[in-house]
Amino acid sequence: RCTAKWMAEHPGDVRFVSGAIGPTSKTLSVSPSVENPAFRGCTYDEIEKAYYAQAGALYDGGVDLFLVETIFDTLNAKAAIFALERFFEDKGMRIPVFISGTIVDKSGRTLSGQTNEAFWLSIEQAKPFAVGLNCALGASDMKPYVENLSKCADCYVFAYPNAGLPNAMGGYDQKDHEMAAEVRPFAEEGLVNALGGCCGSRPEHIAAIVKMSKDMAPRKKHSIDPLMRLSGLEPMTYVQSEENPRATFLNIGERCNVAGSMLYKKAIVDGDYDKAHAIALKQVGQKAHILDINMDDGLIEGIPAMTKFVNLLVSDPEVSRVPFMIDSSKFAIVEAGLKCCQGKAIVNSISLKEGEDAFRHHAKIVKRHGAAVVVMAFDEEGQAANFDEKVRICCRAFKILVEDVGFAPYDIIFDPNILTIGTGLAEHNNYAVDFIRATREIKRLCPGCKISGGVSNIAFGFRGNDAVRRGFHSAFLHHACKAGMDMGIVNAQHSESDVYEKLDKELLGFIEDVLLNRCENSTERMLEYAATIEPKSKPTAVKKLGEAADAGGGGPKAASWRDLPVEKRLAHALVKGIDEFAVRDTEEARTCGLYPEPLQVIEGPLMDGMNVVGDLFGAGKMFLPQVIKSARVMKKAVGHLLPYIEEAKNNAGGGGESDNAGVIIMATVKGDVHDIGKNIVGVVLGCNNFKIIDLGVMTPWEKILDAAVEHKADIIGLSGLITPSLDEMVTVAKRMEERKLKLPLLIGGATTSKMHTAVKLVTQYSGPVVHVLDASRSVPVAQTLLDKTRNVGFIEDVREDYAEMREEFMAGLEDRRYLTIAEARKGAPQTDWSAAENQPVKPKLIGTKTYIDFPIEDVLDYIDWNPFFQTWQLRGRYPNRGYPKIFNDDTVGEEAKKLYDEAQVMLKGIVEKKLIQLKGIVGIWPANAVGDDIQLYTDEGRQEVLATFHGLRQQAEKDDKKEPYYCISDFIAPKESGVPDYLGAFANASFGLEPIVAQYKADGDDYSYIMAEALADRLAEAFAEKLHQIVRQELWGYSPNEDLSTDDLLKVKYQGIRPAPGYPSQPDHTEKEAMWKLMKAEEETGMQLTESMAMLPAAAVSGLYFAGKPSLYFAVGKITADQVEEYAKRKGQDLAVVQKWLEPMLNYEP
């Protein structure tokens, strides 16, 4: 109405109304969950239906055109295009469509990762009236991307940038004349047909742009070369080389096809999508240009599997940079895959098998999704086998696609069926020749089309003989590409490596006799020859049977590190962690005459080797597992020399000790039993010639300080895992100050932090205090602290750094606002306990159930390997973070795989020999919330209180006023609600580790004992995961039909939580006492609590079970004095005691 009124007032001046269709607040290509990249906050169908409804309303309102704008995710734009095409078809009309993307920064990509050329290729099938860019950038930053789009697009091009970039307050300062000047080059250089303004622009900006551009010529539309263009995150334009068509052949990776890889199929059937993802990533790394994805198997639910896997791949920029081929014989699965691809994909495949109507229908849907299409040479009569049938069917399909459906010829890919030869059946002998001839003829009769095929079919009869089969593939591609074949589903690695010109000439002769059907007995001759060669040899380096075995019988002996001088052999063994020859080589060094004293062997070749290890580790060229293995070699060598050293000392009348880099006392503090991290740091420091005095675990401060004096220590190192250890470290620091010690104090462990060290420890001890993040940092820190030329400056820098952190921390406490506990309770979450979905399920078990010697085999599948690699400080870089993707990492992947394989060997021994025993207990009781506490009752009468678990509530003010302030009691129905609820508890551990570790330590095998500790931890955690599943499905039974993969379990996709006392949701470790008493945990399982509430054995897990849907994990955070005082009263404990246990959580100094 407004536009019509304006036009009436300005006769002859035409204006149009565009119906803006925005990007929505949702994204179809990006997961809202960091933990689950395959998850989407909404579906393609939901977005498409919303766009359809919006288009209808806009059209009814009288718009002249549709503007799909501010597109930061191309898949959203494709859903809008699909909806508009459906709308036009339903209405029997069409109005112009403009499409505008958004480049989010100077990377030149959309938010979902596409370049602007890839964006255009993904939406060009819509044949928009105009395409352009808007928002996010100012004109000067946007110009190169508009220029690129102008070159790519054959339609009109527009731009409406922001009025510059936003200022610090989010506003726009660019004036109208400034914006007009900035967009002037767009018009002057003929880049656009229309200009406008987005954020920050006002009517005066538009008026200035109109004035500036009114006399300038618009951009001239141009045609683009008719080439096949595909896209993932990046564009791919295909042009076949006339001189060397094999060089431009497109490798379509076959390993994500259930028919092309048993490993991939097993991963999908098992629900191991991370493993399947690793296979995809590997193919891209092996130069697959396109990724084929197929889920057609009776054991696989195709639609959900295709959806989940493509979503997962789209979230990985390394994989999704290449186009996808969505492959299925079931069109519904094809559609599911297309609805996840933001790029221009290929559909594999459609055919005339069901007749022309079905063929047209499928082709229209594919085109509407903007994909290219593979057409199989099938029709109503069956599969095309010979030359004539292949040509006839493909020409018929081409005519329908081009003339009826409107497909561009270059988006049509024919698969004329690569059929197996060498079968012994005469009618099969000419299959390869027919395909090659048909390829040439189809491309002549259907100009612009492409040819593809499944190359592995050609020599299917020779599977098991790699040399023959791979040779057939290479030779076939050589001849087929010369005839015009453009692409094929291949093993990408073999396609690149098995070059035709390098094939063994004798092998090639036999292959081409079969391939080109050159003689009647070619198959028999091929079979006879194949029987004479090593089946696992390469087609470019064929070996005859027995050749490999006989190779050692003659000729020169290959060079070996065992041929090196003894000093070099020792260095090699230390770097490589090979202990097989440690004693033999050490003895040779001792007796060779170069080292008169046995101590000199240590100070000479052994320390030289360890210095190399230290240098490589410091440079990031060796990793922790390798260093630990080096230490094992060193210990064996030193262990062999010790008797000779003692003998030499006695002969010399006793005396001195060997030189070392310094003496370090190491201990896990009082009350804490965790020592894996400490042990690793000790080994690494030992490898760098520090003398380590390891006092073990649960070490009181007196023992630590006495040992420092006794051993004339240069450094003290403290470790701890649980939060009470932080307070014990403060005690050690205070006692060091009282004794006037000035030794450097190193702090480490999972619960420690640089901030805690700066705020709590440095203030108690005047000597140097340094927080050490991990083993790799311990060596340079220790070396610098003991280097008199560098330590003063280093210590001053650390103190200044910690002083700044302390000031920031204190300022943060002052700035942060906290609610009173009364105010926080008013903000507690409001749960409707009468609602059906919140009704508690009555457990099948009331009371406890103990598990003694639970089968380890039953928990192996529940192991989370990510913490295992973190223990060994192996961290992959994106996109190879986490298990099993870490194996693909260029830096740590090889060592991670080696470590994992060695862990499997040890794990197998633990299982077979029953070296570790899993014990656990679970319990469930009637319960209700009473304020911030949870009361457990003896029976369903709920009159007699059996135990009480106390909760702490969040108090730090939240930015979002609607966000609740949580306490664990919020997840149990309040007593006053009258709703009967329940609470569970559990504790479990790995028993039997001590003798295993003791034996490895006696053998000097640091690597194995640390491995055993790490595996015991993993087994305990896996047992906890298994127990929780048993509780959900059986003992409580609130999720009896739960069917989750291991990956989903580890990502906590089940209903319910199991928070542990001492951790974020309830940071008070003393709540474990109530659990132990309630379950009789020590009597039933042997698990104990130390005075610091650490669990024994150390490889142990415990917590509470909450079953309700409202339950979730949260962090209490800092709390104020009013809550602490009330909490102490509720618990019946002295305030000072409570403050001691909650000290890290207090927002005040007690």
Side-chain angles (χ1 to χ4, degrees):
R1 289 196 297 268
C2 178
T3 303
K5 179 183 176 183
W6 193 93
M7 288 170 63
E9 294 171 355
H10 300 79
D13 202 346
V14 180
R15 291 290 183 270
F16 299 99
V17 178
S18 69
I21 298 177
T24 79
S25 61
K26 304 292 185 181
T27 169
L28 290 170
S29 298
V30 181
S31 172
S33 168
V34 175
E35 296 78 15
N36 184 4
F39 175 70
R40 295 293 182 269
C42 57
T43 68
Y44 178 97
D45 290 339
E46 290 169 342
I47 293 288
E48 192 270 347
K49 288 175 184 175
Y51 279 137
Y52 184 92
Q54 185 180 12
L58 289 169
Y59 184 73
D60 290 344
V63 300
D64 300 300
L65 60 96
F66 290 121
L67 171 61
V68 181
E69 63 154 357
T70 322
I71 292 298
F72 54 80
D73 180 346
T74 311
L75 189 53
N76 285 42
K78 291 172 75 174
I81 292 167
F82 197 97
L84 290 176
E85 289 297 320
R86 188 161 66 91
F87 177 76
F88 294 150
E89 186 176 57
D90 290 348
K91 290 288 185 181
M93 47 67 66
R94 181 176 291 273
I95 60 175
V97 174
F98 286 31
I99 302 175
S100 183
T102 293
I103 301 300
V104 294
D105 55 34
K106 293 182 181 181
S107 69
R109 294 177 182 261
T110 63
L111 183 67
S112 55
Q114 275 197 312
T115 66
N116 66 334
E117 184 177 351
F119 162 72
W120 163 247
L121 295 177
S122 300
I123 56 96
E124 66 170 335
Q125 89 285 353
K127 298 300 176 189
F129 186 83
V131 68
L133 298 175
N134 76 289
C135 204
L137 303 174
S140 59
D141 291 329
M142 184 185 284
K143 180 177 176 288
Y145 311 121
V146 173
E147 185 174 7
N148 186 50
L149 191 59
S150 183
K151 292 175 183 176
C152 299
D154 57 358
C155 62
Y156 294 115
V157 173
F158 60 86
Y160 52 115
N162 292 340
L165 296 174
N167 59 31
M169 302 305 293
Y172 291 83
D173 301 325
Q174 194 173 67
K175 302 294 188 291
D176 51 1
H177 64 279
E178 294 171 336
M179 186 177 185
E182 244 189 20
V183 298
R184 174 180 287 274
F186 289 55
E188 286 181 335
E189 297 175 26
L191 303 181
V192 295
N193 302 96
L195 280 169
C198 198
C199 300
S201 63
R202 300 175 57 80
E204 55 267 28
H205 291 83
I206 306 303
I209 293 171
V210 170
K211 181 179 178 182
M212 175 274 296
S213 60
K214 63 183 170 64
D215 296 325
M216 294 188 185
R219 166 185 173 271
K220 293 181 180 179
K221 284 206 303 181
H222 60 81
S223 61
I224 56 175
D225 293 335
L227 301 172
M228 186 179 76
R229 293 178 171 87
L230 306 170
S231 66
L233 293 183
E234 297 169 4
M236 189 186 81
T237 300
Y238 172 70
V239 181
Q240 188 175 52
S241 168
E242 294 182 5
E243 293 78 21
N244 184 9
R246 180 66 179 88
T248 52
F249 178 81
L250 296 178
N251 296 323
I252 304 173
E254 68 175 353
R255 313 307 288 174
C256 288
N257 184 321
V258 292
S261 169
M262 287 301 295
L263 191 65
Y264 170 77
K265 175 183 172 180
K266 186 177 187 303
I268 296 298
V269 170
D270 293 345
D272 191 349
Y273 282 82
D274 283 342
K275 189 171 186 177
H277 169 249
I279 293 170
L281 186 63
K282 186 175 182 181
Q283 287 185 97
V284 175
Q286 291 173 341
K287 300 186 179 178
H289 303 107
I290 299 166
L291 210 57
D292 183 76
I293 304 168
N294 179 285
M295 300 289 181
D296 288 358
D297 186 88
L299 296 175
I300 298 170
E301 288 291 332
I303 292 175
M306 179 66 80
T307 301
K308 181 173 182 176
F309 189 54
V310 177
N311 277 340
L312 181 63
L313 296 188
V314 165
S315 300
D316 183 340
E318 184 60 28
V319 177
S320 61
R321 65 184 175 83
V322 303
F324 294 163
M325 176 178 275
I326 306 301
D327 183 352
S328 180
S329 59
K330 300 172 183 175
F331 196 73
I333 298 176
V334 167
E335 283 192 277
L338 289 174
K339 290 175 181 179
C340 303
C341 292
Q342 67 167 328
K344 181 177 179 181
I346 302 173
V347 164
N348 185 15
S349 60
I350 62 174
S351 76
L352 288 159
K353 183 165 50 176
E354 298 176 28
E356 291 189 3
D357 289 344
F359 181 69
R360 285 189 183 88
H361 173 69
H362 290 158
K364 285 178 181 177
I365 292 175
V366 172
K367 183 176 182 294
R368 193 172 286 181
H369 280 288
V373 67
V374 173
V375 179
M376 294 293 294
F378 271 85
D379 67 3
E380 300 89 338
E381 297 176 14
Q383 183 180 44
N386 60 41
F387 169 80
D388 291 333
E389 292 169 348
K390 294 176 191 292
V391 174
R392 176 181 59 80
I393 293 174
C394 290
C395 287
R396 178 186 172 200
F398 186 78
K399 182 178 174 67
I400 295 170
L401 290 173
V402 174
E403 296 180 7
D404 296 355
V405 183
F407 253 97
Y410 47 78
D411 280 341
I412 301 169
I413 305 161
F414 288 113
D415 183 342
N417 304 324
I418 298 175
L419 303 175
T420 303
I421 57 176
T423 64
L425 297 176
E427 57 266 34
H428 297 173
N429 291 349
N430 215 48
Y431 278 168
V433 175
D434 283 341
F435 181 93
I436 293 166
R437 287 180 59 220
T439 294
R440 189 176 288 112
E441 186 67 3
I442 291 166
K443 295 197 79 169
R444 185 182 71 83
L445 297 173
C446 305
C449 78
K450 305 293 177 275
I451 300 293
S452 180
V455 177
S456 62
N457 292 341
I458 193 69
F460 194 73
F462 293 96
R463 61 189 185 278
N465 192 315
D466 289 356
V468 173
R469 198 172 182 200
R470 286 167 59 178
F472 263 105
H473 298 166
S474 178
F476 174 80
L477 284 175
H478 171 77
H479 292 286
C481 287
K482 284 205 300 184
M485 186 177 179
D486 302 281
M487 65 189 75
I489 299 176
V490 296
N491 182 305
Q493 184 179 22
H494 295 165
S495 181
E496 289 291 315
S497 63
D498 298 343
V499 179
Y500 175 82
E501 289 74 15
K502 294 182 180 180
L503 294 179
D504 180 272
K505 300 308 177 190
E506 184 180 19
L507 171 63
L508 181 58
F510 285 105
I511 285 173
E512 290 191 329
D513 282 349
V514 178
L515 191 69
L516 304 177
N517 196 15
R518 293 197 293 212
C519 54
E520 291 185 359
N521 66 340
S522 57
T523 298
E524 290 76 12
R525 293 174 64 246
M526 181 75 254
L527 290 169
E528 290 173 6
Y529 174 76
T532 69
I533 64 176
E534 283 285 348
K536 296 301 179 184
S537 60
K538 297 177 182 178
T540 53
V542 172
K543 292 180 180 179
K544 294 297 179 73
L545 281 172
E547 187 177 306
D550 294 340
K557 180 183 175 184
S560 166
W561 71 276
R562 298 300 303 155
D563 299 325
L564 297 171
V566 66
E567 297 90 345
K568 299 291 185 183
R569 295 202 304 271
L570 285 169
H572 180 91
L574 286 163
V575 171
K576 298 296 183 182
I578 303 170
D579 64 352
E580 181 182 355
F581 308 101
V583 172
R584 184 193 309 176
D585 289 346
T586 303
E587 178 61 13
E588 182 180 336
R590 186 184 73 83
T591 58
C592 70
L594 294 175
Y595 309 101
E597 299 293 332
L599 184 58
Q600 292 175 336
V601 178
I602 296 176
E603 295 172 338
L606 289 175
M607 281 313 304
D608 288 345
M610 289 309 294
N611 286 338
V612 174
V613 171
D615 290 344
L616 292 172
F617 184 53
K621 295 178 180 178
M622 278 184 75
F623 306 105
L624 187 59
Q626 296 167 304
V627 174
I628 303 297
K629 289 180 181 179
S630 299
R632 179 168 62 186
V633 178
M634 184 70 171
K635 284 195 171 184
K636 273 198 172 184
V638 172
H640 175 72
L641 291 170
L642 281 177
Y644 299 103
I645 294 172
E646 289 300 318
E647 183 181 356
K649 282 183 182 179
N650 293 334
N651 292 340
E657 294 187 4
S658 61
D659 291 337
N660 55 58
V663 178
I664 301 179
I665 301 293
M666 299 198 69
T668 299
V669 295
K670 178 182 176 183
D672 202 329
V673 297
H674 301 88
D675 66 349
I676 293 182
K678 170 181 68 66
N679 293 339
I680 289 173
V681 171
V683 171
V684 172
L685 287 167
C687 289
N688 286 269
N689 200 28
F690 287 94
K691 182 178 179 181
I692 305 301
I693 309 298
D694 189 345
L695 303 182
V697 300
M698 298 177 62
T699 316
W701 66 266
E702 299 93 339
K703 185 176 179 180
I704 296 170
L705 271 53
D706 291 346
V709 174
E710 177 188 349
H711 295 281
K712 300 178 181 177
D714 298 293
I715 294 174
I716 293 176
L718 302 181
S719 176
L721 178 74
I722 58 177
T723 48
S725 298
L726 298 176
D727 194 52
E728 190 61 33
M729 289 176 181
V730 173
T731 299
V732 176
K734 286 179 179 177
R735 299 296 181 253
M736 290 177 71
E737 185 69 16
E738 289 172 1
R739 289 198 182 186
K740 295 183 170 50
L741 294 177
K742 297 300 176 186
L743 300 177
L745 178 61
L746 301 187
I747 301 296
T751 194
T752 65
S753 69
K754 191 175 178 181
M755 181 64 78
H756 179 268
T757 303
V759 174
K760 296 295 183 181
L761 290 170
V762 172
T763 55
Q764 301 297 330
Y765 179 52
S766 58
V769 185
V770 183
H771 179 259
V772 182
L773 186 63
D774 57 36
S776 66
R777 315 289 173 87
S778 63
V779 174
V781 168
Q783 289 172 335
T784 305
L785 285 169
L786 300 186
D787 185 341
K788 293 180 180 179
T789 64
R790 294 186 295 158
N791 61 2
V792 174
F794 174 73
I795 292 167
E796 287 178 356
D797 287 347
V798 170
R799 282 178 173 154
E800 287 179 12
D801 185 23
Y802 286 2
E804 290 177 7
M805 292 180 67
R806 199 160 50 250
E807 289 174 11
E808 289 175 9
F809 177 81
M810 294 304 179
L813 288 181
E814 293 171 5
D815 294 342
R816 190 72 187 264
R817 184 177 181 276
Y818 293 84
L819 276 63
T820 66
I821 186 59
E823 291 171 333
R825 284 177 181 145
K826 291 178 182 176
Q830 301 300 310
T831 302
D832 181 2
W833 293 101
S834 64
E837 65 269 18
N838 295 327
Q839 284 293 301
V841 174
K842 183 176 181 179
K844 296 177 182 177
L845 169 73
I846 296 292
T848 61
K849 182 177 176 64
T850 304
Y851 296 86
I852 301 297
D853 204 12
F854 192 90
I856 296 180
E857 299 92 328
D858 290 355
V859 309
L860 296 180
D861 288 341
Y862 296 79
I863 292 178
D864 182 358
W865 288 102
N866 288 315
F868 174 78
F869 291 112
Q870 292 163 11
T871 296
W872 291 97
Q873 296 175 22
L874 291 176
R875 301 175 180 92
R877 298 182 64 184
Y878 181 86
N880 295 318
R881 298 189 187 120
Y883 167 82
K885 291 184 285 187
I886 191 173
F887 299 149
N888 300 319
D889 189 81
D890 290 339
T891 305
V892 303
E894 183 179 352
E895 188 57 34
K897 185 63 169 69
K898 190 175 181 182
L899 177 72
Y900 176 79
D901 291 341
E902 290 172 353
Q904 299 309 303
V905 173
M906 182 176 286
L907 199 54
K908 183 179 179 183
I910 288 172
V911 173
E912 292 178 349
K913 298 176 184 178
K914 299 186 182 301
L915 299 177
I916 285 179
Q917 188 180 29
L918 299 180
K919 297 182 182 180
I921 185 170
V922 299
I924 309 172
W925 297 269
N928 281 111
V930 178
D932 287 350
D933 297 336
I934 303 170
Q935 289 183 350
L936 276 62
Y937 306 106
T938 55
D939 54 41
E940 288 289 6
R942 300 175 185 259
Q943 297 301 312
E944 184 180 347
V945 176
L946 179 64
T948 301
F949 288 102
H950 304 88
L952 291 164
R953 189 171 295 280
Q954 295 173 319
Q955 286 185 273
E957 187 177 45
K958 302 184 180 186
D959 294 334
D960 185 347
K961 303 302 181 185
K962 296 180 181 179
E963 191 174 344
Y965 291 79
Y966 288 107
C967 173
I968 58 170
S969 64
D970 297 332
F971 309 139
I972 298 292
K975 191 170 185 178
E976 63 267 22
S977 71
V979 175
D981 209 339
Y982 304 86
L983 182 72
F986 76 97
N988 66 270
S990 298
F991 284 79
L993 180 65
E994 290 78 6
I996 301 173
V997 170
Q999 185 59 55
Y1000 283 133
K1001 285 187 174 181
D1003 294 340
D1005 191 347
D1006 294 324
Y1007 179 78
S1008 294
Y1009 92 71
I1010 291 172
M1011 175 75 81
E1013 290 179 334
L1015 289 177
D1017 272 351
R1018 291 299 87 223
L1019 288 172
E1021 292 284 355
F1023 187 21
E1025 198 67 70
K1026 178 64 177 177
L1027 282 178
H1028 197 182
Q1029 186 183 63
I1030 292 172
V1031 167
R1032 294 192 302 272
Q1033 294 179 332
E1034 302 172 21
L1035 302 183
W1036 200 322
Y1038 62 84
S1039 294
N1041 300 317
E1042 177 184 286
D1043 184 19
L1044 297 174
S1045 66
T1046 301
D1047 186 50
D1048 288 342
L1049 288 175
L1050 297 178
K1051 289 176 179 175
V1052 197
K1053 292 187 179 179
Y1054 47 76
Q1055 180 178 317
I1057 58 173
R1058 56 170 191 271
Y1063 289 86
S1065 297
Q1066 207 327 358
D1068 184 359
H1069 277 274
T1070 64
E1071 288 292 288
K1072 288 180 196 160
E1073 289 182 307
M1075 286 172 51
W1076 250 245
K1077 183 178 178 181
L1078 179 67
M1079 293 188 290
K1080 297 184 171 59
E1082 184 169 353
E1083 296 95 313
E1084 292 292 326
T1085 66
M1087 293 177 65
Q1088 300 175 339
L1089 292 174
T1090 70
E1091 58 187 295
S1092 294
M1093 298 298 136
M1095 295 175 286
L1096 286 172
V1101 189
S1102 66
L1104 300 173
Y1105 289 136
F1106 292 80
K1109 285 187 177 180
S1111 60
L1112 52 82
Y1113 290 104
F1114 65 94
V1116 170
K1118 296 288 183 181
I1119 54 178
T1120 63
D1122 63 338
Q1123 179 170 196
V1124 177
E1125 291 168 6
E1126 190 203 85
Y1127 182 77
K1129 291 177 182 176
R1130 297 198 329 255
K1131 282 185 67 99
Q1133 287 184 341
D1134 184 74
L1135 178 61
V1137 172
V1138 170
Q1139 289 179 147
K1140 173 180 177 293
W1141 284 100
L1142 295 179
E1143 191 269 340
M1145 315 306 299
L1146 306 181
N1147 84 324
Y1148 62 95
E1149 287 290 338

